[in-house]
C-alpha cells in the first residue's frame, strides 16, 4: 500500500513525552519532517496543574502549555490536534489517522499515555461523579463544584490528596475515603503519609481510612451520597475519583507490539519496542531501567519528559540508554510540597533525616543496603544527594546511621 504521504518522524500521542521528543529532535539537529498527532483538543500541555493551579483557577490554560502555540510552526513541526492514530502497521511503517489519511514513516514514537481507572460500582453513572486526566476534566470539576458545599474524593494517592487540598483551599468542604491506612501509603509509606495526612486534616479535610467504595446513591440523576462497604455514608454534592490509571495500549496492541507485565509496551533500555523503528515513552512504556536494574513503568511527569529526550537521541542514532533517576513532585495547595526520587517498589527500612513533624525532612527508603528512593519536604539539597546515591547504587549499609543524622555531611557518602 502506498501511503498518502511520508514523514521522517511520526510522534503519536499529544502528551509531554511526544512533545518533548519533538523538541529534542530539533534541538539535536534533526532536519527531517516531524508530525505529531494527538487526539486531545489542546496541544501538548503539562497535566500536573490539572489537580493543582489549573483546578484552583490560579493557572490559565496557556500556563499549562508545553510550548506556546506559535512555537510548533517556528520549529517546522507539524501538529495535528483532535486527531487519533487509529491503526499502526509497524511492518509497512504506515499509520492511519482518524481523518482516514495514511502516513508512512521512517521512525515512530508511540506515547499514548494512560487512561483513568474507572470503578464499576452501582450509581457510577450518576451526574456529579468526575474522573480527572485532562484540562477539560478539570474545567468540568471546577464548574460543577462551584456551587457544591461538600465534595467527596475517592482515593488516597497524590491526585486524590491534591484535589482535596485544592478544592478545600477554594472553600469547599472535602472528605476523602481510601483503602489505605494513611494517604500516600502505597507510594511513599506510612511515615511520610502520616505527615501529609496531618497537613490535610489541619486544613479541614476529613479523611476516612480503610474504606472500600461500595456504591453511589442519588436523587434522580445526580449523586448525593457515597456509601462504603463498611456502611459509612458520606453526603456529597459532587465526587472526584482519584483511583489510579491504566496504560493506554489500545493502538499498540492492535499493532502487535509486545506488552510487559505491567500492561505497558515492553521496551529495552533504549526505549525501543519489539517493532524495529518504533519507540515508546511515558506512562505507557515499560522499560529496562539501568537505574533500577529491572523493568519498570513509571507514571511521573518528569519520566515522560526525560523519555521524550532519550527517544529523540535514539532516533538520531545516539544509542542512549535511559539512565535518568526518576523525579516526582506533588503539592498540597500551598500548604506543603514534596519532591521524590526513586521510585522504590518495595523497601526494607525507612530512615528519617530532619524534623518529620515540622515539615523539614527527608525519608530515605533503603533496600538491600542501598538507597532505593528519597522523599524530601523542604530539603532540596538532600534530595540531590539522594539522586546520586541512587544513580551510583552506593552501598550505605555500614554507614546508614549517617543518613538519619542531620549533622552529617551527605557528600561524604556520595564521594
Ligand atoms: C491530574 C494529574 C496530575 C498529575 N500531577 C503530577 C505531579 O504532580 N507530578 C508528576 O510527576 N506527575 C503528575 N502527573 C502524571 C503526569 O502528568 C504523567 O505522567 C504524564 O502526563 C505522562 O505523559 P505522557 O506523554 O506519557 O502521557 P499523556 O500525558 O497521557 O499523553 C498521551 C496523549 O496521547 C493521546 N492519545 C492516546 N491514544 C492516542 C491515539 N491513538 N492517537 C493520538 N493520540 C492519542 C492521549 O489523548 C493523550 O493526550 C499527573 C497526572 C494527572 C492526570
Amino acid at each position: 500500500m502506498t501511503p498518502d504521504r511520508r514523514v521522517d518522524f511520526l510522534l503519536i500521542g499529544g502528551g509531554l513525552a511526544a512533545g518533548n521528543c519533538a523538541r529534542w529532535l530539533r534541538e539535536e539537529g534533526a532536519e527531517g519532517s516531524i508530525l505529531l498527532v494527538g487526539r486531545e483538543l489542546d496541544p501538548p500541555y503539562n497535566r500536573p496543574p490539572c489537580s493543582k493551579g489549573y483546578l484552583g483557577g490560579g493557572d490559565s490554560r496557556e500556563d499549562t502549555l508545553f510550548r506556546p502555540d506559535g512555537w510548533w510552526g517556528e520549529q517546522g513541526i507539524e501538529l495535528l490536534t483532535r486527531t487519533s492514530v487509529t491503526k499502526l502497521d509497524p511492518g509497512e511503517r504506515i499509520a492511519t489517522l482518524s481523518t482516514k489519511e495514511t502516513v508512512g514513516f521512517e521512525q515512530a514514537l508511540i506515547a499514548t499515555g494512560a487512561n483513568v481507572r474507572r470503578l464499576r460500582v452501582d450509581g457510577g453513572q450518576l451526574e456529579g461523579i468526575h474522573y480527572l486526566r485532562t484540562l477539560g476534566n478539570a474545567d468540568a470539576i471546577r464548574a460543577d463544584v462551584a456551587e457544591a458545599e461538600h465534595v467527596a474524593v475517592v482515593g488516597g494517592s497524590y491526585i486524590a490528596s491534591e484535589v482535596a487540598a485544592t478544592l478545600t483551599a477554594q472553600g469547599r468542604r472535602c472528605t476523602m475515603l481510601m483503602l489505605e491506612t494513611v494517604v500516600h501509603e502505597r507510594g511513599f509509606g506510612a511515615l511520610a503519609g502520616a505527615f501529609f495526612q496531618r497537613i490535610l486534616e489541619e486544613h479541614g479535610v476529613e479523611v476516612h481510612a480503610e474504606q472500600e467504595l461500595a456504591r453511589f446513591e442519588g436523587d434522580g440523576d445526580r449523586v448525593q451520597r457515597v456509601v462504603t462497604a463498611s456502611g459509612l455514608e458520606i453526603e456529597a454534592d459532587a465526587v472526584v475519583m482519584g483511583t489510579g490509571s491504566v496504560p493506554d495500549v489500545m493502538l499498540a496492541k492492535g499493532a502487535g507490539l509486545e506488552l510487559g507485565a505491567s500492561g505497558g509496551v515492553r521496551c529495552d533500555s533504549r526505549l525501543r519496542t519489539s517493532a524495529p523503528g518504533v519507540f515508546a515513552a511515558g506512562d505507557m512504556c515499560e522499560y529496562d531501567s539501568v537505574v533500577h536494574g529491572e523493568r519498570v513503568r513509571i507514571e511521573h511527569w518528569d519520566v515522560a519528559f526525560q523519555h521524550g529526550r532519550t527517544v529523540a537521541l535514539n532516533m538520531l542514532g545516539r544509542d542512549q540508554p535511559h539512565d535518568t533517576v526518576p523525579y516526582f513532585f506533588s503539592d498540597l495547595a500551598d500548604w506543603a510540597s514534596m519532591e521524590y526520587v526513586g521510585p522504590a517498589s518495595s523497601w526494607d527500612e525507612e530512615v528519617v533525616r530532619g524534623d518529620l513533624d515540622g515539615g523539614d525532612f527527608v525519608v530515605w527508603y533503603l533496600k538491600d543496603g542501598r538507597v532505593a528512593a528519597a522523599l524530601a519536604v523542604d530539603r532540596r539539597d538532600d534530595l540531590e544527594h539522594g539522586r546520586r546515591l541512587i544513580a551510583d547504587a552506593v552501598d550505605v549499609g555500614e554507614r546508614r546511621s549517617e543518613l538519619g543524622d542531620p549533622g552529617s555531611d551527605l557528600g561524604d557518602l556520595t564521594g
Side-chain angles (χ1 to χ4, degrees), residues 16 45-56 59 63-65 132-135 138 158-159 162-163 166 283 299-305 327-331:
L16 198 66
Y45 61 88
N46 295 304
R47 284 188 203 284
C50 292
S51 49
K52 310 178 187 65
Y54 186 76
L55 181 65
D59 293 342
D63 290 335
T64 70
L65 293 181
L132 176 56
R133 182 80 195 168
T134 64
L135 288 174
Y158 76 92
I159 290 185
E162 289 181 349
V163 168
T166 302
D283 284 4
E299 296 186 8
H300 292 171
W301 173 88
D302 186 59
V303 173
F305 188 75
Y327 167 83
F328 172 80
F329 66 95
S330 174
D331 301 329

Side-chain angles (χ1 to χ4, degrees), residues 189-210:
L191 277 179
F195 167 78
F196 291 108
Q197 183 158 323
R198 181 169 60 73
I199 297 289
L200 286 164
E201 289 174 335
E202 279 175 3
H203 288 85
V205 178
E206 201 177 309
V207 184
H208 293 281
E210 299 181 79

Side-chain angles (χ1 to χ4, degrees), residues 16 19-20 23-24 27 43-46 61-72 74-75 77 79 305:
L16 198 66
N20 203 35
R23 166 206 166 184
W24 278 100
E27 286 208 10
Y45 61 88
N46 295 304
R61 187 169 284 250
E62 287 65 38
D63 290 335
T64 70
L65 293 181
F66 169 64
R67 286 292 182 271
D69 285 339
W71 182 84
W72 303 92
E74 285 161 22
Q75 295 293 317
I77 298 166
L79 176 63
F305 188 75

Side-chain angles (χ1 to χ4, degrees), residues 236-286:
D237 308 308
V239 177
V240 182
M241 304 291 286
T243 46
S245 51
V246 285
D248 183 341
V249 291
M250 211 165 86
L251 181 69
K253 253 183 170 171
L257 300 184
E258 200 179 307
L259 302 185
S262 75
V265 168
R266 163 99 183 80
C267 288
D268 67 8
S269 62
R270 271 69 176 165
L271 308 184
R272 295 178 289 225
T273 70
S274 53
V278 180
F279 296 79
D283 284 4
M284 51 86 80
C285 162
E286 183 179 315

Side-chain angles (χ1 to χ4, degrees), residues 279-414:
F279 296 79
D283 284 4
M284 51 86 80
C285 162
E286 183 179 315
Y287 67 104
D288 291 333
S289 168
V290 293
V291 171
H292 299 88
E294 60 186 358
R295 202 181 304 161
V296 297
R297 189 176 67 78
I298 304 166
E299 296 186 8
H300 292 171
W301 173 88
D302 186 59
V303 173
F305 188 75
Q306 302 292 346
H307 273 179
R309 178 175 182 273
T310 300
V311 169
L313 295 174
N314 286 324
M315 282 179 157
L316 297 172
R318 307 281 166 79
D319 192 27
Q320 173 71 44
H322 188 73
D323 57 6
T324 314
V325 177
Y327 167 83
F328 172 80
F329 66 95
S330 174
D331 301 329
L332 297 182
D334 59 1
W335 313 332
S337 298
M338 74 153 90
E339 294 183 284
Y340 175 83
V341 285
S345 51
S346 65
W347 54 87
D348 317 319
E349 191 184 349
E350 291 167 64
V351 175
V352 177
R353 179 185 181 91
D355 181 2
L356 193 54
D357 293 330
D360 173 13
F361 64 88
V362 175
V363 178
W364 308 101
Y365 303 84
L366 303 186
K367 173 99 180 156
D368 299 331
R370 292 184 163 74
V371 174
L375 181 152
V377 173
D378 228 3
R379 283 198 169 233
R380 176 159 277 200
D381 290 350
D382 288 355
L383 198 78
E384 286 312 312
H385 287 295
R387 202 189 292 268
R388 290 191 54 196
L389 289 167
I390 295 169
D392 298 343
V394 176
D395 186 345
V396 292
E398 296 289 299
R399 302 176 61 189
R400 70 186 198 291
S401 60
E402 292 173 44
L403 289 171
D405 173 6
S408 72
D409 182 353
L410 292 172
D412 290 347
L413 285 172
T414 51

